Amino acid sequence: MAASYYDPPHLHSSSSYPPPPPPPGTSTYGGTYRHAYLPPPPAPAAYSAYYDRAEQALPPRDELRTLFIAGLPGDAMAREVYNLFRDFPGYVSSHLRSGKSSQAYAFAVFADQPSALAALSATNGMVFDLEKNCTLHVDLAKSNSRSKRFRSDDAPPYPSEKKARNPRGFSDSGAGSYIHMSGMGNSSHSLIGYPSAQSYSNLESGTSFTKDPSTFAPQNNPPCPTLFVANLGPTCAEQELIDVFSSCAGFVKLKMQNKLGAPVAFVDFKDVNSSTEALNRLQGVVLYSSPGEGIRLEYPKIGNLILPLLF
DNA sequence: AGCACA
């Protein structure tokens, strides 16, 4: 099939990166559907686009920094994968392999392993398509994506001198699409002259963000085994929430608080992995009783989790 | 669990 080319709109404006976050309170899941909040151009399943970044920012080491993303629906688009990862610190590029089957998979390259791991834990288990019931399974890839012109210590087993990047002629073999996102302004295409908004220096914790990828890292509260649930409707019942959250691995208990003001809930999980997975899975899920954007999940403020953790 | 591209 013929490849077509899609340029994310914000790449055409030098002032439009980083892309504006969704409006406050807006779930990136778009209510009941996919996470993307950019205007959806009518892109066919297979298209390709390169965005160069000054690749000197690539990591010094040859540690795995590529994510393998499974669980994508067969009609997933490279744009969607790109939109999923682009706001994570250290994002470099992504590549979608859309087979004919109903299961596509993708790779996302990061500048270093901590960045990759942060994006991993933030996206693993998240619902990519509610209607198709697609849940992402994200893992470190078995190997890093080949990047032209960057040798780790492993030289490619073949001679590759293809420096001529044909702006339209990628392998018409179809199924692959690359999206590169530039972070540093020295792109040879120089489409993007934006401030270096992303900080690459948050290596202290694998799951912290310097920049808010909106729903992925709500607030700055540190990950913990308890989740805080908000945006519940006035009619929301505790049992309804229990029904929802008990489907998550590691669920321990849920306590609702509807005495004062808007109802909220606290959900305990057996560990941070479980709570994080639940957060990603259920973020923005629309309950009968939760208006509009669906439930909002956060790690609680520290003051709220002292007691749950002690007992 | 499923890992390509050159």
Side-chain angles (χ1 to χ4, degrees):
Chain A
M1 60 178 72
S4 69
Y5 306 94
Y6 163 66
D7 291 338
H10 72 275
L11 290 179
H12 294 298
S13 159
S14 62
S15 61
S16 58
Y17 193 87
T26 295
S27 165
T28 43
Y29 301 100
T32 61
Y33 202 51
R34 287 187 187 174
H35 56 277
Y37 53 83
L38 288 185
Y47 65 94
S48 299
Y50 269 103
Y51 301 104
D52 275 8
R53 98 182 306 166
E55 301 193 71
Q56 80 277 4
L58 283 184
R61 300 199 275 152
D62 47 34
E63 247 163 355
L64 283 179
R65 55 179 203 280
T66 301
L67 297 181
F68 172 72
I69 301 102
L72 294 164
D75 63 348
M77 291 175 293
R79 163 170 49 82
E80 294 183 292
V81 179
Y82 162 68
N83 282 335
L84 181 59
F85 289 106
R86 58 189 240 186
D87 283 337
F88 285 98
Y91 171 79
V92 174
S93 67
S94 55
H95 180 205
L96 173 69
R97 300 293 299 182
S98 49
K100 344 274 181 189
S101 87
S102 57
Q103 294 283 314
Y105 56 92
F107 297 88
V109 183
F110 287 80
D112 47 47
Q113 189 171 91
S115 302
L117 292 176
L120 184 158
S121 71
T123 55
N124 189 27
M126 87 177 251
V127 175
F128 188 81
D129 188 313
L130 265 181
E131 295 177 355
K132 290 188 159 67
N133 205 5
C134 286
T135 299
L136 297 188
H137 305 287
V138 187
D139 227 325
L140 275 178
K142 288 174 178 163
S143 68
N144 283 320
S145 293
R146 294 188 44 83
S147 67
K148 27 168 198 181
R149 182 171 331 157
F150 276 111
R151 73 287 130 142
S152 327
D153 350 30
D154 49 331
Y158 52 88
S160 150
E161 285 308 322
K162 311 271 271 289
K163 70 185 303 184
R165 178 175 7 93
N166 185 339
R168 59 172 115 253
F170 302 120
S171 67
D172 50 353
S173 56
S177 315
Y178 271 108
I179 299 280
H180 281 230
M181 187 50 209
S182 72
M184 313 284 113
N186 302 337
S187 162
S188 57
H189 282 323
S190 70
L191 286 174
I192 329 170
Y194 52 81
S196 62
Q198 295 192 349
S199 165
Y200 284 71
S201 57
N202 61 327
L203 305 182
E204 80 258 27
S205 151
T207 52
S208 68
F209 305 90
T210 51
K211 176 163 171 269
D212 169 32
S214 59
T215 57
F216 299 146
Q219 321 296 317
N220 291 320
N221 306 328
C224 86
T226 300
L227 293 182
F228 168 77
V229 191
N231 197 34
L232 300 169
T235 67
C236 184
E238 186 173 81
Q239 189 56 47
E240 181 183 11
L241 290 177
I242 292 176
D243 291 343
V244 170
F245 281 91
S246 59
S247 71
C248 295
F251 171 83
V252 174
K253 72 180 203 288
L254 181 146
K255 192 59 192 146
M256 193 163 171
Q257 197 153 41
N258 39 12
K259 307 282 191 280
L260 17 83
V264 296
F266 293 90
V267 197
D268 293 345
F269 292 85
K270 82 173 181 356
D271 54 29
V272 179
N273 279 349
S274 301
S275 61
T276 300
E277 184 156 330
L279 184 148
N280 295 321
R281 268 172 51 93
L282 297 177
Q283 184 71 271
V285 160
V286 176
L287 306 179
Y288 289 117
S289 57
S290 63
E293 293 149 3
I295 64 177
R296 188 176 79 251
L297 297 175
E298 302 171 6
Y299 301 112
K301 298 198 186 79
I302 308 176
N304 287 323
L305 47 99
I306 293 174
L307 289 182
L309 288 182
L310 289 184
F311 297 100

